[in-house]
Amino acid sequence: MGRVFVTGMGVVSSLGFGRKPYWEALVEGRSGIREVSQFDTSNLPRNLAGEVRGFRAKDFMSDAEARRMGRCSAFSVAAARMAVEDAGLADGALRGERTAVVMGTTMGEANVLGELQQAWIHDESIAPAKLPRYGTTLLPIHVARAFGASGMVQTLPAACAAGNYAIGFAADQIRAGRADVAITGAVEIIEKLEYCGFVRLSAMSPDLCQPFDLNRKGLILGEGATMLVLESEESVVRRGATPLAEVGGYGLACDAHHITRPHPEGEGSISAMRQAIESSGIDPDEVDHINAHGTGTQANDQVEAKVIERIFGRRPLPVTSIKSMIGHCMGASSAMEAVACVMTLETGIIPPTMNYETPDPECPLDIVANKPKRDADVKIVLNNALAFGGYDAVVCFAKPGRLPEGTGEARA
């Protein structure tokens, strides 16, 4: 199987637009979490989220394109345009059947669904223009239309592991010879119904997201989109591109335990992490850093820490969770975290886990706490996504050329 490389990345986030502003904010430890402005939270016991603010669809597409899309699709197209520009691909370079588009999400155009629901509840007429804007299947189609990409399109609604699912599946299309280039990533927006659901689950923190901290109180929701350009080695060489990172193997598993709680021994997580390591052709001691799922909930963080210790022992392996700054962006989370993984490989800087104050004896990890770890010798990193329902997906990223030939086959 051929190698697959990341050559461009685009980000729409609560910390800014574009991978460089996003990365600078992460390294500085800035938080994008503020009071919710999109809907009224006065009757709710929680009011914080990592909202995307200041986004204008017209900065990334024509008015006609924007009218066809909901907020979720607009985020996706904007992130894709940034990623393609970052990759140095010329206009028209992605036209044709050799370009695939693979996207992950949890709820897709949740705001459009909410509007349709309200109209139904109040027995109001539904504007015909709203109906074509709803549906998770539209997300990759809008991106494909933007570039004239006529290869396969796919949406993977794989809960909060959707980003890693999409990246792994997109890499498979290239390795299988079905595509030369894939635009892939994930997107999520905050919508009131969704927000209220997490409040009712008692999963939300009232103030801070504190992954792995003894006094953590829960997650805080976020939103955004990240798109990556993946290319075959032949495509990279043909156009003289400089790859940012290599996509290694990945692992997929299911806890098959509970609809929200992880398996107490992390059985699915262990399987997914081991698959990612083995399919990358490496040993556990070659992993230099883990970008953790790290939600800030009691059970998830404790089980993830147990899994990491089970696989890697007590060696000093730097672990971080950027959810402390951007919130839990649900289906988009692991794609947004993939950017942090690639940037760490490129810069040698590991972004911090903010708000980490008191170590938890049940989470004996080498947490990169409150300030970045600079001059880190990181060649291989794992990106964890351990979601509700036991959706477990782990992707390996490496410096170009660091992995052995023939890696990348998923083992599930």
Side-chain angles (χ1 to χ4, degrees):
M1 295 181 295
R3 295 182 182 275
V4 177
F5 296 99
V6 181
T7 56
M9 301 186 291
V11 182
V12 174
S13 79
S14 60
L15 295 176
F17 311 141
R19 70 169 169 115
K20 291 183 180 178
Y22 172 69
W23 176 245
E24 289 168 3
L26 289 177
V27 171
E28 291 171 8
R30 280 190 262 139
S31 176
I33 297 170
R34 305 175 184 85
E35 288 190 14
V36 173
S37 64
Q38 296 178 48
F39 48 83
D40 183 15
T41 59
S42 59
N43 62 341
L44 298 173
R46 300 290 184 268
N47 66 346
L48 299 176
E51 280 186 319
V52 172
R53 301 192 180 193
F55 176 81
R56 301 188 307 173
K58 67 180 182 180
D59 292 339
F60 302 96
M61 66 199 75
S62 69
D63 289 342
E65 286 179 298
R67 282 194 296 271
R68 291 194 294 265
M69 302 180 200
R71 181 174 168 87
C72 206
S73 294
F75 280 6
S76 304
V77 172
R81 289 196 188 280
M82 285 185 272
V84 170
E85 181 180 358
D86 188 45
L89 286 160
D91 289 346
L94 299 179
R95 290 191 176 278
E97 61 185 22
R98 299 298 298 171
T99 300
V101 182
V102 183
M103 294 192 59
T105 190
T106 299
M107 292 185 67
E109 298 288 9
N111 59 336
V112 179
L113 177 61
E115 292 168 5
L116 295 173
Q117 179 193 48
Q118 287 301 310
W120 178 73
I121 289 172
H122 298 290
D123 197 25
E124 299 171 351
S125 61
I126 296 173
K130 286 190 183 299
L131 294 175
R133 296 170 67 186
Y134 178 68
T136 58
T137 55
L138 295 177
L139 298 174
I141 292 172
H142 282 305
V143 173
R145 281 171 58 99
F147 300 102
S150 56
M152 67 88 66
V153 294
Q154 179 70 47
T155 305
L156 297 171
C160 297
N164 271 355
Y165 264 77
I167 292 167
F169 187 76
D172 279 352
Q173 304 314 299
I174 294 174
R175 291 190 178 107
R178 300 189 185 99
D180 300 320
V181 181
I183 305 173
T184 186
V187 62
E188 207 72 62
I189 59 172
I190 296 171
E191 195 273 332
K192 188 171 184 178
L193 176 64
E194 180 180 49
Y195 191 90
C196 291
F198 275 91
V199 172
R200 289 296 301 271
L201 284 171
S202 300
M204 301 255 288
S205 171
D207 46 28
L208 299 173
C209 179
Q210 298 177 276
F212 303 108
D213 188 277
L214 177 65
N215 300 309
R216 60 193 182 275
K217 308 178 195 74
L219 58 85
I220 293 177
L221 290 182
E223 65 179 357
T226 289
M227 300 298 282
L228 291 76
V229 174
L230 306 187
E231 295 187 57
S232 66
E233 186 171 18
E234 292 78 7
S235 178
V236 169
V237 171
R238 183 170 58 248
R239 69 185 192 88
T242 301
L244 303 174
E246 182 173 356
V247 183
Y250 67 97
L252 308 176
C254 180
D255 283 349
H257 172 68
H258 189 271
I259 199 65
T260 57
R261 292 194 302 272
H263 189 282
E265 298 302 318
E267 290 184 356
S269 304
I270 289 171
S271 176
M273 292 185 73
R274 283 180 171 163
Q275 290 171 42
I277 292 167
E278 292 171 6
S279 63
S280 296
I282 59 174
D283 295 322
D285 60 7
E286 294 181 82
V287 175
D288 302 307
H289 164 52
I290 293 177
N291 191 302
H293 189 61
T295 61
T297 59
Q298 286 291 331
N300 191 286
D301 289 4
Q302 184 176 335
V303 170
E304 186 171 14
K306 182 182 292 187
V307 170
I308 291 171
E309 184 178 8
R310 174 91 172 266
I311 294 175
F312 299 99
R314 289 288 184 98
R315 73 178 176 94
L317 179 64
V319 175
T320 199
S321 171
I322 64 171
K323 289 184 178 71
S324 56
M325 292 175 275
I326 63 173
H328 191 341
C329 298
M330 297 165 285
S333 291
S334 50
M336 299 186 79
E337 289 153 359
V339 174
C341 293
V342 173
M343 293 302 295
T344 289
L345 292 167
E346 187 176 40
T347 65
I349 301 172
I350 300 174
T353 303
M354 298 303 294
N355 311 316
Y356 186 80
E357 298 169 353
T358 308
D360 182 352
E362 298 296 323
C363 301
L365 301 174
D366 182 14
I367 301 297
V368 181
N370 301 312
K371 60 181 181 180
K373 181 179 179 65
R374 298 181 182 273
D375 300 319
D377 185 18
V378 179
K379 300 182 183 69
I380 297 175
V381 58
L382 293 186
N383 190 31
N384 283 359
L386 315 175
F388 273 3
Y391 269 102
D392 298 312
V394 180
V395 176
C396 174
F397 293 95
K399 285 190 172 182
R402 177 62 184 79
L403 299 176
E405 290 282 357
T407 64
E409 182 180 1
R411 301 176 187 177

